[in-house]
Structures are given as structure tokens and as C-alpha cells.
Amino acid sequence: MKVLRCQDVGFDCPGVIKAESDDQVLQMAAQHASQVHQVQVTPEMAEQIRTKIKEE
């Protein structure tokens, strides 16, 4: 299981995203960023976010 904590990306947010793959986490993170933080994830941001995804 892959996990990404919103705080690890720099937001003051308790959000935690879990999925089977990095790509699924990134897709869910982009949706969360858009809906909750009004931030559109660019390809460059996605690559930086990918480095924060951990194995659980």
C-alpha cells in the first residue's frame, strides 16, 4: 500500500491518501488538491509529490 500525507507536501491538512500504486496516489492527490486546496497539480508538482509517497 502506498501512502501520501498532505502535510508532507506542505499543506496544513490532516489528509492521508492511500492506494495500491504511486499513479493512483497521484491521481487522488490531484483531486484532493483541487477540491480542498484550490491548487491545480502541474506535471512538475506531480514529480515532486511522487518523491513524498511512502510504502506502508
Side-chain angles (χ1 to χ4, degrees):
M1 182 69 63
K2 304 290 185 162
V3 64
L4 176 70
R5 288 174 174 74
C6 204
Q7 291 178 336
D8 293 344
V9 184
F11 290 104
D12 184 18
C13 173
V16 178
I17 297 168
K18 295 181 181 182
E20 292 297 320
S21 71
D22 288 359
D23 289 338
Q24 288 173 325
V25 170
L26 284 172
Q27 182 180 18
M28 293 167 66
Q31 280 185 323
H32 174 80
S34 176
Q35 294 171 353
V36 177
H37 303 295
Q38 290 74 50
V39 172
Q40 296 303 314
V41 176
T42 65
E44 294 80 14
M45 288 171 66
E47 289 308 309
Q48 291 178 340
I49 293 168
R50 187 181 293 273
T51 67
K52 306 293 185 187
I53 298 172
K54 303 213 177 356
E55 188 72 43
E56 183 175 69

